[in-house]
Amino acid sequence: MGRSKRNAFKQAAQRITDAIIVFFRENQSGQFTAKQVCKSIGLGSNQYAACIEILGDLAFDGFLKEDNGLFSIAIKDTCVEGTIVRKSSGRYLFVSDSDKDDKVQVAERNLNGALNGDKVRFVRFATRLHSAPEGKVLEVISRSRDTFVGTLQVDRNYAFLATDNRVGYDIFIPKGNLKGGLSGQKAVVKVVEWPSKGNPSPIGKVVDILGQTGDNNTEMHAILAEFGLPYDYPENVAQAAEQIPDKITPAALDGRLDFRSTFTITIDPRDAKDFDDAISIKSLKNGWYQVGVHIADVSYYVQEGGIIDKEAYKRGTSIYLVDRTIPMFPEKLCNDLCSLNENTDKLAYSVIFTISSSGVVKETNIQRTVINSNRRFTYEQVQEIIDKRNDEKALNTLFGHEFSKELLILNDIAQNLREKRFQDGAVRFDREEVRFEIDQTGAPTSVYFKKSLEANNLVEEFMLLANRAVAEFIGDTKEKTKKTFVYRVHEKPDIEKLERLSQFVARFGHRIKIDGSKKELSRSINKLLSDVKGKREQNLVESISLRSMPKALYTTHNVGHYGLAFDFYTHFTSPIRRYPDLMVHRLLTRYLASGRSVNQQKLEDCCEHCSNMEQLAEQAERASIKYKQVEYMSKHMGIPYDATISGVTEWGIYAEINENKCEGLISIHDLEGDFYVFDEKNYCLIGQRTHKRYTLGDQIKIEVRNCNLEKKQMDYIISKEK
């Protein structure tokens, strides 16, 4: 039989199979003979034998069952609820609420007007053995959003908002709803009428014009709007902040501990504009030290329930994009009133420790204070002092050399705290962060990696210590009734995810322990992360390991923080940029004054909101990084780069450039010289003729073929350069 005849035979058999499956899905309660099935789907007598053979195959596959020549469906359709998730490839998946790993594919024609993120009721079709689960939307229960971002396409009589693949529909806009928008402009559109059988496209109206596509400000604002995040600050809120008095009154100092004569410093990035934490140190008797962690007292300036507070709560967090910060509070508060600027009296909330050089805490005191920072340091300046600690001559020439002794004592204490934390079971994730050098137009000119210095660790350890101390003060008590509080929790990894991680790292010759105590598990993960340092699979294993961990979140139900190995933990140290920290400050004030416990459900709702806003901000940050990576690589097309295969799918392989971590897709159609098949079990594509493999973690050389800024996607090809 020739190839064309074989193909025609396969196509005919597939048509009969599809027709039989549809027939039994529509007649799930009946039993039918082969002749009845054949007649019902319109087959002739010459196709009867083929029908019988296919019925037998479907019974063997578990889709049908046979009883004395009568066929019926083996597993009936089920009706369930779930959330629609559309991948960037345009494929739809449904994630069942009862089982997050139970994914059901739905064809475009069966979406019934549902959009990405919508909660829906859908029917899960009975399927054949080894076939992907399929389904159909019955109704949309609730919409995830009603505003969308895209590019306007304006014609003479009508207009559309072209959205990305994840939305699934372009939005029709009547000419009267354009708000002056022009073709090629980015816009925010609100849907006023959802899709229906008679109207397949949503109908919307323009609520804001962001600017011309490709303009840096436009694109950054579009990213924020895409996640429902603010891209400007309400004028009335900013004006309310301007009305707050600058001067610290005598009444404001009542009951505060005075730390203005104690050596105090701030340590921040060199481009920081707000300083919400400071550290003080004073020598005590017998080798003990008094170390104060001083945090800007935002709660003194921001009235709970006021206009500024409501706006901050709505935002939940400051947002950090590649080229800008979208603050939680107006600039007057961030950069002036609540910024612990040097040589200026400032109000603070402080955790004061009596601590040894080895990091043993003897006593903890939580108080409102007034401080005056002696010097503002950058991380780089502190790192230089640390690096030259044994060179007294060099230290004397450094900026801030007169404070080098105190800084080095603080660093020694911090390093001892850090070491003890890892001994107790903390997970050692030290991921490099992608950063960009940006020109005046916002265009990226280079890519670099932000590495954590010992100076960063100095600040981090004291902030962790303060956060832990505050949580313990409220939660670790002998009282029968615990006060309701905001905790930052991180649960132990799910055993199934750990098993998948274990199977994955085994490919590279590594092992992890997936059972035992929390401490044993974390030590095993730390050993894995240590073993991959400097190896080709390092970034890949670190990424997969991080994804195996649950997300940290805010809640009133304390379960501890697995990643930090703390039984009690909260966020207290950044009230300028995180709303939960402000909540913690207010709760502390209430409970220190012997106030009654707050309503738990109300506080839990606030925690959930803040967790959600944090995740949205993180998604926006990643989107801005991806946009700048695509923008940067668009100027480097055709140049060979060494890369690592970071993902393998049935439609191609993903590769990450080693020197800048820019990831792109090599389509399976662009892999020359063979026909490649996806081997899901072994994370590879295999050539059918040559048996060449493209495997997760392999080193390859690639070139950029195409950059799509609109979709934030890059297409690569295998470089022919040897």
Side-chain angles (χ1 to χ4, degrees):
M1 186 185 296
R3 178 180 293 181
S4 60
K5 287 186 177 180
R6 284 200 303 271
N7 288 340
F9 179 80
K10 287 181 180 179
Q11 290 172 4
Q14 187 60 53
R15 283 195 296 270
I16 295 172
T17 302
D18 292 342
I20 292 173
I21 289 173
V22 170
F23 172 77
F24 277 99
R25 282 177 175 164
E26 293 175 348
N27 298 275
Q28 296 195 24
S29 60
Q31 292 180 306
F32 305 91
T33 65
K35 283 187 177 180
Q36 288 173 322
V37 174
C38 195
K39 182 179 180 180
S40 296
I41 64 175
L43 298 182
S45 58
N46 61 328
Q47 295 174 304
Y48 181 66
C51 181
I52 291 177
E53 183 177 351
I54 292 169
L55 285 168
D57 289 342
L58 290 173
F60 180 79
D61 286 347
F63 178 74
L64 299 178
K65 60 182 178 181
E66 182 186 4
D67 184 15
N68 294 324
L70 293 174
F71 292 90
S72 60
I73 197 163
I75 304 174
K76 295 183 179 181
D77 296 346
T78 54
C79 185
V80 290
E81 292 182 2
T83 302
I84 189 168
V85 178
R86 188 178 184 118
K87 300 298 184 183
S88 57
S89 62
R91 298 164 179 252
Y92 271 95
L93 301 174
F94 287 96
V95 185
S96 169
D97 286 350
S98 60
D99 183 355
K100 296 299 183 184
D101 292 324
D102 183 20
K103 297 176 181 177
V104 180
Q105 294 184 4
V106 176
E108 198 85 30
R109 64 182 179 276
N110 290 332
L111 282 170
N112 198 18
L115 301 174
N116 187 45
D118 291 349
K119 187 168 184 177
V120 298
R121 184 172 290 107
F122 66 98
V123 60
R124 178 191 174 108
F125 293 147
T127 55
R128 302 173 64 181
L129 190 67
H130 305 306
S131 297
E134 297 179 29
K136 177 181 180 179
V137 174
L138 298 177
E139 65 172 318
V140 177
I141 299 172
S142 61
R143 297 286 182 180
S144 63
R145 57 194 293 197
D146 62 0
T147 56
F148 299 87
V149 180
T151 304
L152 291 174
Q153 297 176 353
V154 182
D155 206 336
R156 178 176 296 178
N157 300 314
Y158 59 87
F160 280 95
L161 183 82
T163 58
D164 64 21
N165 281 350
R166 290 180 184 268
V167 174
Y169 295 91
D170 289 341
I171 300 172
F172 177 78
I173 305 171
K175 288 297 286 285
N177 290 349
L178 265 175
K179 203 177 179 179
L182 305 173
S183 281
Q185 288 185 324
K186 281 278 175 74
V188 181
V189 167
K190 182 180 178 66
V191 172
V192 295
E193 186 178 329
W194 294 102
S196 62
K197 288 183 179 179
N199 175 32
S201 294
I203 298 175
K205 65 176 182 179
V206 174
V207 295
D208 199 8
I209 304 295
L210 300 177
Q212 195 64 33
T213 299
D215 174 77
N216 183 65
N217 277 336
T218 298
E219 297 299 342
M220 293 300 105
H221 287 172
I223 287 171
L224 292 165
E226 178 184 345
F227 294 101
L229 296 170
Y231 43 88
D232 54 15
Y233 215 94
E235 186 62 32
N236 62 330
V237 180
Q239 287 176 356
E242 291 295 331
Q243 302 305 312
I244 301 174
D246 295 347
K247 190 175 180 180
I248 297 175
T249 64
L253 300 179
D254 285 348
R256 292 182 182 267
L257 292 181
D258 193 339
F259 270 76
R260 286 176 287 188
S261 60
T262 303
F263 167 75
T264 304
I265 56 169
T266 60
I267 308 174
D268 293 277
R270 60 175 177 264
D271 58 351
K273 294 180 180 178
D274 59 76
F275 316 109
D276 58 3
D277 58 75
I279 303 173
S280 68
I281 183 169
K282 182 169 71 173
S283 295
L284 303 176
K285 295 178 180 179
N286 302 321
W288 291 89
Y289 297 94
Q290 181 197 72
V291 173
V293 176
H294 307 285
I295 308 302
D297 192 356
V298 179
S299 62
Y300 173 81
Y301 293 101
V302 179
Q303 180 183 357
E304 186 171 4
I307 185 174
I308 299 173
D309 183 56
K310 286 180 178 178
E311 182 65 26
Y313 173 73
K314 185 168 69 174
R315 294 169 180 245
T317 179
S318 294
I319 306 161
Y320 298 89
L321 302 188
V322 166
D323 66 337
R324 69 194 64 200
T325 298
I326 314 301
M328 186 174 75
F329 285 114
E331 186 175 328
K332 172 74 178 287
L333 282 162
C334 292
N335 299 351
D336 185 7
L337 294 178
C338 297
S339 184
L340 306 181
N341 303 320
E342 63 182 359
N343 299 319
T344 309
D345 288 356
K346 292 291 179 178
L347 304 181
Y349 227 130
S350 304
V351 185
I352 302 122
F353 301 97
T354 301
I355 191 170
S356 70
S357 58
S358 62
V360 175
V361 177
K362 181 180 179 181
E363 186 179 345
T364 303
N365 187 18
I366 302 172
Q367 291 280 348
R368 280 180 139 164
T369 60
V370 57
I371 69 167
N372 190 303
S373 174
N374 297 84
R375 179 67 56 88
R376 180 223 166 172
F377 283 96
T378 66
Y379 287 119
E380 291 77 13
Q381 289 168 340
V382 174
Q383 188 62 44
E384 193 172 2
I385 290 172
I386 293 171
D387 291 341
K388 296 180 178 178
R389 65 179 305 157
N390 297 320
D391 188 342
E392 189 172 339
K393 184 178 179 181
L395 282 177
N396 288 334
T397 65
L398 290 178
F399 171 84
H401 66 86
E402 67 270 30
F403 302 133
S404 60
K405 178 183 176 183
E406 289 84 356
L407 280 166
L408 292 171
I409 292 171
L410 286 170
N411 187 60
D412 288 342
I413 297 172
Q415 291 305 313
N416 286 323
L417 288 169
R418 185 175 178 82
E419 187 57 37
K420 185 179 185 304
R421 190 161 57 82
F422 289 125
Q423 288 175 0
D424 289 342
V427 182
R428 196 185 293 266
F429 278 112
D430 292 319
R431 298 278 291 155
E432 293 181 334
E433 298 179 31
V434 177
R435 292 289 184 265
F436 299 86
E437 295 287 351
I438 304 289
D439 67 16
Q440 292 182 340
T441 68
T445 57
S446 66
V447 184
Y448 66 95
F449 301 105
K450 177 187 173 184
K451 295 184 179 181
S452 184
L453 305 170
E454 200 169 325
N456 296 85
N457 297 338
L458 185 163
V459 175
E460 179 185 26
E461 291 304 323
F462 283 113
M463 298 305 118
L464 292 176
L465 187 66
N467 287 334
R468 179 184 185 179
V470 168
E472 287 176 341
F473 174 73
I474 300 297
D476 191 15
T477 67
K478 295 180 181 179
E479 296 178 12
K480 290 183 179 179
T481 305
K482 306 284 189 194
K483 292 284 201 300
T484 301
F485 200 58
V486 175
Y487 295 98
R488 178 71 168 178
V489 304
H490 183 236
E491 297 198 51
K492 184 179 177 181
D494 179 75
I495 189 66
E496 290 184 8
K497 289 186 177 180
L498 287 176
E499 287 174 349
R500 288 197 290 268
L501 174 62
S502 178
Q503 293 169 7
F504 172 75
V505 301
R507 295 192 59 261
F508 301 99
H510 303 295
R511 296 179 63 187
I512 62 166
K513 185 179 181 65
I514 61 174
D515 52 13
S517 67
K518 287 183 178 181
K519 188 177 292 189
E520 289 173 328
L521 175 57
S522 61
R523 283 176 177 170
S524 179
I525 294 172
N526 284 340
K527 185 179 186 305
L528 168 68
L529 298 174
S530 176
D531 289 345
V532 299
K533 288 288 185 186
K535 296 183 179 178
R536 66 185 180 92
E537 68 268 22
Q538 176 182 346
N539 192 58
L540 197 57
V541 170
E542 287 178 344
S543 297
I544 299 295
S545 299
L546 194 58
R547 275 181 277 185
S548 300
M549 297 285 152
K551 287 186 178 294
L553 50 84
Y554 300 104
T555 179
T556 59
H557 306 286
N558 182 44
V559 295
H561 197 295
Y562 172 78
L564 295 173
F566 291 162
D567 292 330
F568 297 88
Y569 189 66
T570 190
H571 272 170
F572 163 82
T573 54
S574 294
I576 287 178
R577 62 184 181 90
R578 294 186 307 224
Y579 195 84
D581 301 55
L582 179 57
M583 291 162 61
V584 166
H585 282 217
R586 287 171 174 161
L587 289 170
L588 269 177
T589 301
R590 181 187 184 101
Y591 296 153
L592 284 168
S594 301
R596 295 177 62 183
S597 186
V598 299
N599 180 278
Q600 183 171 7
Q601 187 55 56
K602 184 177 179 181
L603 190 61
E604 183 65 26
D605 292 343
C606 294
C607 288
E608 184 178 356
H609 167 75
C610 291
S611 295
N612 292 337
M613 295 310 296
E614 177 189 38
Q615 291 183 27
L616 287 174
E618 288 174 355
Q619 291 173 35
E621 179 183 1
R622 287 196 294 269
S624 76
I625 290 172
K626 188 66 178 179
Y627 183 89
K628 289 302 175 185
Q629 286 178 322
V630 176
E631 186 179 8
Y632 177 76
M633 292 309 298
S634 68
K635 300 179 179 117
H636 297 80
M637 296 175 65
I639 300 173
Y641 287 96
D642 292 324
T644 302
I645 295 180
S646 55
V648 184
T649 70
E650 62 191 52
W651 55 85
I653 57 178
Y654 288 90
E656 185 177 80
I657 295 174
N658 295 341
E659 70 177 60
N660 57 30
K661 302 293 187 263
C662 295
E663 187 181 62
L665 172 68
I666 304 171
S667 170
I668 197 168
H669 303 298
D670 290 328
L671 295 174
E672 298 178 353
D674 208 340
F675 177 76
Y676 287 86
V677 175
F678 177 45
D679 182 349
E680 184 176 8
K681 183 178 179 181
N682 294 302
Y683 302 98
C684 67
L685 292 178
I686 305 173
Q688 294 297 281
R689 180 176 55 82
T690 63
H691 303 294
K692 179 177 175 58
R693 288 173 174 253
Y694 288 102
T695 306
L696 203 62
D698 282 354
Q699 298 297 298
I700 58 176
K701 195 173 282 288
I702 62 93
E703 295 177 14
V704 182
R705 189 190 73 172
N706 182 54
C707 289
N708 188 323
L709 278 167
E710 192 74 18
K711 295 181 179 179
K712 306 178 189 68
Q713 293 176 352
M714 288 177 284
D715 294 322
Y716 294 164
I717 56 173
I718 301 293
S719 176
K720 292 183 170 59
E721 181 180 292
K722 301 297 183 183

